[in-house]
């Protein structure tokens, strides 16, 4: 199954309200990043054990670990979770940047060093989320 099919199946598997929000968010990110590489992580480790929620990823960057090893990974990810939706903006070095820059203006969301988490899309300012996504992509390109 190719990545597009995996993404479609993942979105289709979500409860109706979350499915509508994730699908809308997916389309908006594709419009923001029209030529980005798409990823789908099923949330399982090498042994097939579920270790995280599945993620749809967009873009590509090289992540460097503490042991100096590197790997290719996405720049932006989205995932449904038990309390709503998470948007991951990966690779920003300053972990205070997202909360300080977007935390007060994005709306009803929790903003950490790399994650913007909200219950439903209508709770947030989508234009501010898009600005944060583009900002994160710019920082990791």
């Amino acid at each position: 199954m190719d990545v597009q099919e995996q993404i479609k199946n993942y979105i289709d598997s979500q409860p109706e309200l979350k499915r509508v929000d994730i699908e809308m968010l997916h389309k908006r990110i594709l419009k923001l990043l029209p030529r980005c590489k798409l990823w789908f992580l099923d949330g399982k480790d090498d042994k097939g054990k579920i270790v995280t929620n599945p993620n749809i990823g967009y873009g590509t960057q090289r992540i460097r670990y503490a042991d100096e090893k590197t790997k290719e990974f996405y720049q932006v990810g989205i995932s449904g979770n038990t309390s709503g939706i998470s948007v991951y903006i990966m690779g920003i070095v300053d972990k205070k940047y997202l909360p300080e820059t977007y935390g007060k203006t994005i709306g009803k969301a929790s903003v950490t060093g790399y994650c913007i988490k909200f219950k439903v899309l209508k709770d947030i300012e989508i234009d501010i989320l898009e600005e944060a996504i583009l900002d994160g992509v710019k920082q990791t390109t």
Side-chain angles (χ1 to χ4, degrees):
M1 186 178 328
D2 73 1
V3 173
Q4 296 275 9
E5 285 179 280
Q6 289 175 307
I7 291 170
K8 182 184 179 330
N9 289 343
Y10 172 66
I11 292 171
D12 289 348
S13 75
Q14 298 299 306
E16 184 179 357
L17 294 175
K18 193 177 296 183
R19 181 178 65 243
V20 169
D21 280 357
I22 290 175
E23 190 166 39
M24 182 184 300
L25 191 53
H26 176 64
K27 287 177 181 175
R28 289 187 78 131
I29 294 171
L30 289 176
K31 195 171 184 180
L32 282 178
L33 309 171
R35 293 178 298 281
C36 70
K37 176 178 178 176
L38 286 176
W39 301 66
F40 183 75
L41 280 64
D42 64 6
K44 297 176 184 172
D45 67 11
D46 296 339
K47 297 175 183 160
K49 180 181 176 193
I50 296 174
V51 293
T52 185
N53 291 323
N55 283 261
I56 302 169
Y58 308 84
T60 187
Q61 66 176 309
R62 185 128 314 261
I63 292 182
R64 181 176 306 279
Y65 292 98
D67 64 3
E68 296 301 313
K69 290 183 180 175
T70 64
K71 86 171 190 180
E72 184 182 31
F73 202 63
Y74 57 75
Q75 293 167 291
V76 176
I78 62 174
S79 178
N81 57 58
T82 55
S83 62
I85 298 169
S86 295
V87 177
Y88 305 102
I89 302 176
M90 307 300 290
I92 296 176
V93 177
D94 180 357
K95 296 305 173 202
K96 294 179 182 176
Y97 183 79
L98 278 179
E100 288 177 355
T101 307
Y102 301 102
K104 289 187 171 112
T105 58
I106 198 157
K108 202 169 163 184
S110 160
V111 183
T112 67
Y114 69 94
C115 181
I116 299 171
K117 190 176 185 178
F118 48 92
K119 188 170 177 105
V120 292
L121 210 47
K122 70 179 172 80
D123 285 349
I124 64 162
E125 297 293 330
I126 189 74
D127 293 343
I128 301 295
L129 178 62
E130 288 179 353
E131 186 180 321
I133 288 168
L134 289 173
D135 192 358
V137 167
K138 182 179 177 186
Q139 289 188 44
T140 58
T141 297

